[in-house]
Amino acid sequence: MSDTSQLLVRRIKDGTVIDHIEAGKALFVLHALSITGKEGNVITVALNVPSSKHIKKDIIKVENRFLKTNETNKLALISLHTTINIIKDYKLVEKRKIQLPDSIVGIFKCPNLRCVSNGEEGIKPIIDIIKKENIILRCRYCTRTLTTGELVF
Ligand SMILES: [Zn+2]
């Protein structure tokens, strides 16, 4: 590893390292996890880091927070091949892959402007994942089927 990479992936004592995020998607990941920085813990975001596979990736380190599986699975539609590393006392205690959940609540909006989830306040959009291979999605309210490219943040 080069000196630059070592600096970027500097070890943290406790927290979560979100690695192998598709380059350019880190800010969507922060949004999906509702991480704003106001929580007060140290958050490091690295964009376009050269990866060993000669492709670029983004990395996010969230110190002193252990992201749960139901939180990180929300990232499936943003960057499915992301890996989650849970670090405790400088040791990697859990490494997990993201799994596609059955539904995602409150992150993506339905692209149908007439959908009730866009019109009424207090309704959280719910996107169901109805097919996990060649991902097909459906809005639970208006039942419109969608691809990941049609999702609106
Ligand atoms: Zn809808």
Side-chain angles (χ1 to χ4, degrees):
M1 218 189 281
S2 75
D3 289 342
T4 319
S5 312
Q6 270 174 354
L7 262 181
L8 287 167
V9 296
R10 183 176 66 86
R11 296 195 308 161
I12 61 174
K13 183 168 185 282
D14 295 292
T16 307
V17 177
I18 310 170
D19 198 0
H20 296 286
I21 303 167
E22 232 177 86
K25 298 282 182 73
L27 300 179
F28 294 116
V29 168
L30 289 173
H31 176 82
L33 294 173
S34 302
I35 294 172
T36 63
K38 287 180 184 155
E39 302 82 11
N41 40 353
V42 176
I43 296 154
T44 313
V45 180
L47 306 179
N48 297 321
V49 181
S51 151
S52 53
K53 297 164 198 157
H54 304 290
I55 48 167
K56 290 177 178 174
K57 63 176 183 179
D58 293 351
I59 304 171
I60 299 171
K61 293 184 299 174
V62 186
E63 300 193 25
N64 298 316
R65 183 169 164 194
F66 306 106
L67 291 167
K68 296 184 181 69
T69 304
N70 62 0
E71 295 180 283
T72 53
N73 282 352
K74 293 177 183 175
L75 308 178
L77 299 181
I78 299 170
S79 179
L80 185 58
H81 301 294
T82 294
T83 48
I84 308 298
N85 300 301
I86 303 294
I87 313 290
K88 287 185 181 170
D89 202 19
Y90 296 108
K91 290 194 191 78
L92 176 67
V93 295
E94 185 190 348
K95 190 180 187 86
R96 64 174 183 255
K97 293 199 176 297
I98 288 178
Q99 310 272 336
L100 269 173
D102 295 325
S103 59
I104 293 187
V105 180
I107 296 175
F108 303 100
K109 295 192 179 95
C110 176
N112 174 9
L113 294 176
R114 300 175 71 170
C115 177
V116 66
S117 70
N118 283 316
E120 287 179 39
E121 290 207 15
I123 296 186
K124 280 192 173 181
I126 303 175
I127 304 291
D128 289 315
I129 291 134
I130 54 173
K131 196 157 164 271
K132 297 200 174 185
E133 285 172 45
N134 306 318
I135 304 169
I136 305 268
L137 313 166
R138 187 168 61 203
C139 171
R140 191 174 294 179
Y141 295 98
C142 69
T143 70
R144 180 184 280 202
T145 53
L146 315 161
T147 61
T148 49
E150 291 174 279
L151 290 171
V152 182
F153 260 104

